[in-house]
Amino acid sequence: MTFTLNSFGQYPFEKYPAIKYKVYKDWKVYNTNGKEKKTEFILTIPKFYDKIDSLTLVLTSFAGKWDSSYITVFKNGKQIQRFFEPMLFYETNLFEPIMLADVNGDNLQDIKLIVPYMGNGTASLNTRVIYLFQQKDKNFIKISFMDKMSDNRPERDFNGDGNYEVITMTLTSYQYHSYWSFNLFNFKKNDFVSTNNKYNYPILIQFLNRDNFKITNKISRQKMKDFGQTKPADYDRK
């Protein structure tokens, strides 16, 4: 059984302006059958840095290691950074494009990746969301976490400041009912910061066997604050 969140309905946060991405999806795949038995996914973005220098991402996973991969960043073919990533990249889950946008409003292009874990039922929504936030020195801060989504959930600008809110989604239970819980974060001071209190989040929407986009009236908005997260699930920062 597969669940989908695509519908003509609208979640409350979807009334705010959505970020616009440039997308790149020309992944090259290389498998090695040597001692390491690794798979590499390579994508180059020309003129990424200051519309001059290229950026290449190499995602590397190893056979039998389900939670040990690497993201390597190259500038003009020279390695500048390497990040550990606690998941597996493989050919059936790496079909989403690389997305570029200035997520935090500092006039530098950031990188977003969504990598499904692949599963059944609600587990089919499990994804790893990976951000590479570009710094002034051309290096990146990597932030990744577990989320639930059937497709890309774009960031939204709640107050027009150019620093888009990142909206996470988890499935939680309360008093014998299941709810989708949506939390808000900004990237500030080189880390994720909760902005739940600023916008009266998180919000909880009851999980039903039909489309539902309405904030539940079974739980008070004050009680919903008990489900607030200071960081997303399985948060990793490098």
Side-chain angles (χ1 to χ4, degrees):
M1 185 174 183
T2 300
F3 292 83
T4 178
L5 300 179
N6 293 328
S7 175
F8 293 107
Q10 188 179 59
Y11 290 110
F13 50 79
E14 292 182 306
K15 66 183 179 182
Y16 297 103
I19 201 166
K20 295 181 180 179
Y21 308 102
K22 294 179 181 177
V23 298
Y24 296 83
K25 53 186 178 180
D26 187 23
W27 289 104
K28 308 297 183 185
V29 183
Y30 298 92
N31 293 292
T32 62
N33 295 316
K35 185 177 180 180
E36 287 187 310
K37 293 185 178 179
K38 64 182 180 181
T39 301
E40 291 187 328
F41 304 86
I42 302 173
L43 193 150
T44 297
I45 302 171
K47 299 182 180 180
F48 175 86
Y49 293 102
D50 301 322
K51 298 182 179 180
I52 298 173
D53 299 318
S54 69
L55 174 141
T56 299
L57 286 186
V58 179
L59 312 184
T60 306
S61 287
F62 304 89
K65 296 184 179 180
W66 295 91
D67 58 355
S68 300
S69 297
Y70 290 92
I71 302 171
T72 310
V73 183
F74 295 83
K75 179 182 177 183
N76 288 339
K78 181 180 178 181
Q79 179 178 328
I80 59 172
Q81 284 180 288
R82 194 182 197 213
F83 302 103
F84 175 80
E85 187 58 39
M87 77 166 305
L88 178 71
F89 303 120
Y90 51 102
E91 292 183 57
T92 54
N93 78 341
L94 200 66
F95 49 79
E96 297 286 351
I98 287 178
M99 291 167 275
L100 301 187
D102 178 9
V103 177
N104 61 319
D106 62 358
N107 296 314
L108 296 171
Q109 291 290 293
D110 306 307
I111 297 171
K112 180 181 181 181
L113 280 166
I114 298 174
V115 186
Y117 280 97
M118 313 297 287
N120 297 311
T122 56
S124 67
L125 301 178
N126 290 345
T127 60
R128 191 82 187 167
V129 181
I130 303 168
Y131 289 95
L132 297 178
F133 287 99
Q134 187 181 174
Q135 306 297 289
K136 290 182 179 180
D137 64 1
K138 311 304 181 185
N139 286 329
F140 294 90
I141 291 174
K142 191 222 73 170
I143 286 177
S144 65
F145 53 89
M146 172 80 81
D147 203 5
K148 285 187 178 291
M149 61 176 74
S150 60
D151 53 12
N152 180 40
R153 184 183 311 116
E155 298 76 12
R156 302 277 172 169
D157 192 352
F158 278 51
N159 64 356
D161 67 350
N163 190 353
Y164 285 80
E165 276 63 47
V166 175
I167 305 155
T168 66
M169 175 179 170
T170 56
L171 185 63
T172 189
S173 296
Y174 180 70
Q175 293 187 340
Y176 307 106
H177 294 289
S178 294
Y179 298 90
W180 296 118
S181 176
F182 295 93
N183 281 254
L184 301 180
F185 299 90
N186 277 152
F187 183 74
K188 291 182 176 180
K189 297 181 179 180
N190 296 334
D191 204 353
F192 260 22
V193 177
S194 171
T195 56
N196 282 330
N197 290 336
K198 186 174 183 179
Y199 300 107
N200 197 22
Y201 271 65
I203 58 171
L204 271 66
I205 294 173
Q206 191 172 0
F207 176 71
L208 301 172
N209 291 321
R210 58 176 172 81
D211 289 337
N212 183 30
F213 303 93
K214 186 178 180 181
I215 299 174
T216 185
N217 59 10
K218 297 179 182 295
I219 306 173
S220 71
R221 293 300 292 271
Q222 183 61 36
K223 181 62 180 177
M224 289 183 194
K225 293 184 184 299
D226 291 345
F227 299 91
Q229 297 176 316
T230 56
K231 291 287 189 289
D234 197 21
Y235 183 78
D236 187 72
R237 180 192 179 280
K238 296 286 189 300

mmCIF file of all heavy atoms in Angstrom, residues 7 10 12-14 17 34 41 57 61 70 87 113 117 123 145 163 178 187 204 210 221 234:
data_model
loop_
_atom_site.group_PDB
_atom_site.id
_atom_site.type_symbol
_atom_site.label_atom_id
_atom_site.label_comp_id
_atom_site.label_asym_id
_atom_site.label_seq_id
_atom_site.Cartn_x
_atom_site.Cartn_y
_atom_site.Cartn_z
ATOM 1 N N SER A 7 -2.620 16.362 -3.784
ATOM 2 C CA SER A 7 -4.058 16.610 -3.791
ATOM 3 C C SER A 7 -4.306 18.047 -4.196
ATOM 4 O O SER A 7 -3.389 18.852 -4.298
ATOM 5 C CB SER A 7 -4.652 16.323 -2.404
ATOM 6 O OG SER A 7 -6.005 16.656 -2.350
ATOM 7 N N GLN A 10 -4.966 22.080 0.392
ATOM 8 C CA GLN A 10 -3.825 22.924 0.721
ATOM 9 C C GLN A 10 -3.575 22.892 2.231
ATOM 10 O O GLN A 10 -4.506 23.084 3.028
ATOM 11 C CB GLN A 10 -4.082 24.366 0.276
ATOM 12 C CG GLN A 10 -2.880 25.275 0.412
ATOM 13 C CD GLN A 10 -3.176 26.684 -0.063
ATOM 14 O OE1 GLN A 10 -4.076 27.347 0.457
ATOM 15 N NE2 GLN A 10 -2.410 27.149 -1.035
ATOM 16 N N PRO A 12 -1.986 24.596 5.642
ATOM 17 C CA PRO A 12 -1.949 26.017 6.039
ATOM 18 C C PRO A 12 -0.695 26.748 5.589
ATOM 19 O O PRO A 12 -0.754 27.921 5.210
ATOM 20 C CB PRO A 12 -2.047 25.951 7.565
ATOM 21 C CG PRO A 12 -2.806 24.700 7.840
ATOM 22 C CD PRO A 12 -2.353 23.726 6.781
ATOM 23 N N PHE A 13 0.466 26.087 5.607
ATOM 24 C CA PHE A 13 1.716 26.760 5.241
ATOM 25 C C PHE A 13 1.835 27.005 3.741
ATOM 26 O O PHE A 13 2.688 27.770 3.305
ATOM 27 C CB PHE A 13 2.926 25.968 5.743
ATOM 28 C CG PHE A 13 2.909 24.504 5.404
ATOM 29 C CD1 PHE A 13 3.266 24.058 4.146
ATOM 30 C CD2 PHE A 13 2.537 23.569 6.358
ATOM 31 C CE1 PHE A 13 3.246 22.708 3.826
ATOM 32 C CE2 PHE A 13 2.522 22.218 6.062
ATOM 33 C CZ PHE A 13 2.870 21.778 4.796
ATOM 34 N N GLU A 14 0.983 26.372 2.942
ATOM 35 C CA GLU A 14 1.107 26.510 1.489
ATOM 36 C C GLU A 14 0.558 27.836 0.968
ATOM 37 O O GLU A 14 0.670 28.123 -0.229
ATOM 38 C CB GLU A 14 0.423 25.331 0.804
ATOM 39 C CG GLU A 14 1.158 24.022 1.039
ATOM 40 C CD GLU A 14 0.529 22.835 0.329
ATOM 41 O OE1 GLU A 14 -0.682 22.595 0.512
ATOM 42 O OE2 GLU A 14 1.260 22.144 -0.401
ATOM 43 N N PRO A 17 4.640 32.232 0.150
ATOM 44 C CA PRO A 17 5.435 32.073 -1.078
ATOM 45 C C PRO A 17 6.425 30.911 -0.981
ATOM 46 O O PRO A 17 7.132 30.773 0.022
ATOM 47 C CB PRO A 17 6.163 33.412 -1.212
ATOM 48 C CG PRO A 17 5.342 34.382 -0.422
ATOM 49 C CD PRO A 17 4.752 33.601 0.712
ATOM 50 N N GLY A 34 35.785 -3.881 -7.426
ATOM 51 C CA GLY A 34 37.035 -4.216 -6.752
ATOM 52 C C GLY A 34 36.803 -4.567 -5.295
ATOM 53 O O GLY A 34 35.714 -4.990 -4.888
ATOM 54 N N PHE A 41 27.800 8.248 -7.640
ATOM 55 C CA PHE A 41 26.863 9.060 -8.417
ATOM 56 C C PHE A 41 27.478 10.439 -8.556
ATOM 57 O O PHE A 41 27.793 11.091 -7.552
ATOM 58 C CB PHE A 41 25.518 9.144 -7.712
ATOM 59 C CG PHE A 41 24.893 7.803 -7.421
ATOM 60 C CD1 PHE A 41 25.219 7.104 -6.271
ATOM 61 C CD2 PHE A 41 23.995 7.233 -8.313
ATOM 62 C CE1 PHE A 41 24.654 5.869 -6.001
ATOM 63 C CE2 PHE A 41 23.418 5.999 -8.050
ATOM 64 C CZ PHE A 41 23.753 5.319 -6.894
ATOM 65 N N LEU A 57 29.420 17.197 -7.440
ATOM 66 C CA LEU A 57 29.090 16.393 -6.275
ATOM 67 C C LEU A 57 29.294 14.926 -6.617
ATOM 68 O O LEU A 57 28.860 14.464 -7.673
ATOM 69 C CB LEU A 57 27.637 16.603 -5.849
ATOM 70 C CG LEU A 57 27.265 17.900 -5.147
ATOM 71 C CD1 LEU A 57 25.809 17.830 -4.687
ATOM 72 C CD2 LEU A 57 28.181 18.183 -3.967
ATOM 73 N N SER A 61 28.604 5.229 -2.027
ATOM 74 C CA SER A 61 28.118 4.225 -1.087
ATOM 75 C C SER A 61 28.860 2.921 -1.315
ATOM 76 O O SER A 61 29.404 2.674 -2.406
ATOM 77 C CB SER A 61 26.612 4.009 -1.245
ATOM 78 O OG SER A 61 25.881 5.099 -0.726
ATOM 79 N N TYR A 70 29.246 8.797 1.633
ATOM 80 C CA TYR A 70 29.988 10.053 1.651
ATOM 81 C C TYR A 70 29.497 10.972 0.536
ATOM 82 O O TYR A 70 29.095 10.521 -0.542
ATOM 83 C CB TYR A 70 31.495 9.810 1.485
ATOM 84 C CG TYR A 70 32.114 9.150 2.695
ATOM 85 C CD1 TYR A 70 32.210 7.761 2.777
ATOM 86 C CD2 TYR A 70 32.569 9.913 3.763
ATOM 87 C CE1 TYR A 70 32.748 7.153 3.899
ATOM 88 C CE2 TYR A 70 33.119 9.306 4.893
ATOM 89 C CZ TYR A 70 33.199 7.932 4.954
ATOM 90 O OH TYR A 70 33.721 7.333 6.064
ATOM 91 N N MET A 87 23.384 7.063 5.531
ATOM 92 C CA MET A 87 22.379 6.337 4.746
ATOM 93 C C MET A 87 23.053 5.699 3.544
ATOM 94 O O MET A 87 24.259 5.864 3.343
ATOM 95 C CB MET A 87 21.236 7.245 4.307
ATOM 96 C CG MET A 87 21.549 8.164 3.136
ATOM 97 S SD MET A 87 20.050 8.891 2.431
ATOM 98 C CE MET A 87 19.057 7.450 2.040
ATOM 99 N N LEU A 113 19.036 18.049 -1.537
ATOM 100 C CA LEU A 113 18.827 16.712 -2.075
ATOM 101 C C LEU A 113 17.747 16.017 -1.254
ATOM 102 O O LEU A 113 17.699 16.169 -0.024
ATOM 103 C CB LEU A 113 20.103 15.875 -1.983
ATOM 104 C CG LEU A 113 21.181 16.070 -3.038
ATOM 105 C CD1 LEU A 113 22.468 15.411 -2.565
ATOM 106 C CD2 LEU A 113 20.745 15.456 -4.360
ATOM 107 N N TYR A 117 14.145 6.494 1.318
ATOM 108 C CA TYR A 117 14.642 5.254 1.902
ATOM 109 C C TYR A 117 14.014 4.039 1.238
ATOM 110 O O TYR A 117 14.541 2.941 1.331
ATOM 111 C CB TYR A 117 14.359 5.215 3.408
ATOM 112 C CG TYR A 117 15.346 6.001 4.223
ATOM 113 C CD1 TYR A 117 15.067 7.304 4.630
ATOM 114 C CD2 TYR A 117 16.566 5.451 4.601
ATOM 115 C CE1 TYR A 117 15.972 8.030 5.390
ATOM 116 C CE2 TYR A 117 17.471 6.162 5.356
ATOM 117 C CZ TYR A 117 17.167 7.457 5.751
ATOM 118 O OH TYR A 117 18.073 8.178 6.494
ATOM 119 N N ALA A 123 5.913 3.985 5.647
ATOM 120 C CA ALA A 123 7.370 3.959 5.509
ATOM 121 C C ALA A 123 7.809 4.358 4.108
ATOM 122 O O ALA A 123 8.970 4.735 3.900
ATOM 123 C CB ALA A 123 7.916 2.583 5.849
ATOM 124 N N PHE A 145 18.593 15.219 7.711
ATOM 125 C CA PHE A 145 17.667 14.711 8.712
ATOM 126 C C PHE A 145 16.651 13.787 8.053
ATOM 127 O O PHE A 145 16.499 13.759 6.832
ATOM 128 C CB PHE A 145 16.948 15.862 9.434
ATOM 129 C CG PHE A 145 16.281 16.859 8.519
ATOM 130 C CD1 PHE A 145 14.972 16.688 8.080
ATOM 131 C CD2 PHE A 145 16.970 17.988 8.089
ATOM 132 C CE1 PHE A 145 14.368 17.612 7.249
ATOM 133 C CE2 PHE A 145 16.374 18.920 7.249
ATOM 134 C CZ PHE A 145 15.064 18.731 6.827
ATOM 135 N N ASN A 163 14.657 34.510 4.214
ATOM 136 C CA ASN A 163 15.154 33.301 4.862
ATOM 137 C C ASN A 163 13.971 32.343 4.972
ATOM 138 O O ASN A 163 13.113 32.488 5.842
ATOM 139 C CB ASN A 163 15.738 33.608 6.241
ATOM 140 C CG ASN A 163 16.470 32.417 6.841
ATOM 141 O OD1 ASN A 163 16.438 31.310 6.296
ATOM 142 N ND2 ASN A 163 17.130 32.643 7.964
ATOM 143 N N SER A 178 -3.612 9.162 15.245
ATOM 144 C CA SER A 178 -2.346 9.486 14.600
ATOM 145 C C SER A 178 -2.450 10.840 13.908
ATOM 146 O O SER A 178 -3.504 11.170 13.328
ATOM 147 C CB SER A 178 -1.980 8.407 13.574
ATOM 148 O OG SER A 178 -1.716 7.173 14.222
ATOM 149 N N PHE A 187 17.660 28.324 8.814
ATOM 150 C CA PHE A 187 19.111 28.177 8.919
ATOM 151 C C PHE A 187 19.675 29.531 9.333
ATOM 152 O O PHE A 187 19.671 30.493 8.566
ATOM 153 C CB PHE A 187 19.704 27.725 7.593
ATOM 154 C CG PHE A 187 21.190 27.495 7.654
ATOM 155 C CD1 PHE A 187 21.704 26.382 8.297
ATOM 156 C CD2 PHE A 187 22.073 28.388 7.072
ATOM 157 C CE1 PHE A 187 23.079 26.162 8.358
ATOM 158 C CE2 PHE A 187 23.440 28.182 7.117
ATOM 159 C CZ PHE A 187 23.942 27.065 7.773
ATOM 160 N N LEU A 204 -0.764 20.126 14.048
ATOM 161 C CA LEU A 204 -1.069 18.704 13.917
ATOM 162 C C LEU A 204 -2.321 18.524 13.071
ATOM 163 O O LEU A 204 -3.330 19.207 13.286
ATOM 164 C CB LEU A 204 -1.278 18.056 15.290
ATOM 165 C CG LEU A 204 -0.024 17.487 15.970
ATOM 166 C CD1 LEU A 204 0.946 18.601 16.334
ATOM 167 C CD2 LEU A 204 -0.392 16.673 17.186
ATOM 168 N N ARG A 210 -8.375 9.419 4.124
ATOM 169 C CA ARG A 210 -8.813 10.326 3.064
ATOM 170 C C ARG A 210 -7.939 11.571 3.156
ATOM 171 O O ARG A 210 -7.206 11.760 4.137
ATOM 172 C CB ARG A 210 -10.285 10.704 3.239
ATOM 173 C CG ARG A 210 -10.612 11.354 4.575
ATOM 174 C CD ARG A 210 -12.047 11.804 4.657
ATOM 175 N NE ARG A 210 -12.405 12.263 5.987
ATOM 176 C CZ ARG A 210 -12.136 13.460 6.475
ATOM 177 N NH1 ARG A 210 -11.442 14.345 5.737
ATOM 178 N NH2 ARG A 210 -12.517 13.802 7.693
ATOM 179 N N ARG A 221 -4.142 24.303 20.473
ATOM 180 C CA ARG A 221 -2.890 24.810 19.899
ATOM 181 C C ARG A 221 -1.803 24.894 20.975
ATOM 182 O O ARG A 221 -0.621 24.710 20.675
ATOM 183 C CB ARG A 221 -3.110 26.181 19.256
ATOM 184 C CG ARG A 221 -4.002 26.163 18.021
ATOM 185 C CD ARG A 221 -3.440 25.276 16.916
ATOM 186 N NE ARG A 221 -2.231 25.793 16.329
ATOM 187 C CZ ARG A 221 -2.193 26.628 15.291
ATOM 188 N NH1 ARG A 221 -3.318 27.031 14.723
ATOM 189 N NH2 ARG A 221 -1.045 27.051 14.804
ATOM 190 N N ASP A 234 16.636 12.608 13.612
ATOM 191 C CA ASP A 234 17.890 12.031 13.116
ATOM 192 C C ASP A 234 18.768 13.117 12.488
ATOM 193 O O ASP A 234 19.342 12.954 11.406
ATOM 194 C CB ASP A 234 17.606 10.911 12.113
ATOM 195 C CG ASP A 234 18.809 10.012 11.895
ATOM 196 O OD1 ASP A 234 19.695 9.994 12.771
ATOM 197 O OD2 ASP A 234 18.868 9.328 10.848
#
